Amino acid sequence: MLFTISQRFFFDAAHTLRREIEAEGSRRIHGHTYHAEVFLSGSRDAATGMVLDLGFLRQALAEVRERLDHHMLDEVPDLGTPTLENLCLFIAHALPEPLREQLTRVRVWREALGDACELDCRSPGART
């Protein structure tokens, strides 16, 4: 059997963004509360009954959150343009290798705006 576990976190951050529509407000420094959720899939370990001890995932995500929370996203190393898509990739790549091997999905959204992006880590090119 294959199980999927997930863990959510949030962060507040500012950024700018060059866009073709809603351009003026996006070019000014502005901020959002972002929510993120990561999904890991695997078999249940017979000894522990768990796919993974969620404490390890929470610990890894706390480190990712520290790199994003209350930061200017334009200045975060290895993020690139601060889009929802790039945030999904950043979070996926920031996880330690043992967790990345089981990573199946990363979702980032802004609840207040209704915007979301989801990265399917099983798709070709998702792990690059």
Side-chain angles (χ1 to χ4, degrees), residues 52-68:
L52 172 81
D53 184 327
L54 284 170
F56 290 116
L57 182 55
R58 277 191 289 276
Q59 184 178 42
L61 291 177
E63 292 174 18
V64 174
R65 183 178 189 270
E66 180 67 28
R67 294 172 64 185
L68 299 171

Side-chain angles (χ1 to χ4, degrees), residues 32-47:
H32 303 282
T33 296
Y34 294 88
H35 299 268
E37 186 170 15
V38 298
F39 299 82
L40 287 79
S41 294
S43 300
R44 181 181 60 87
D45 181 272

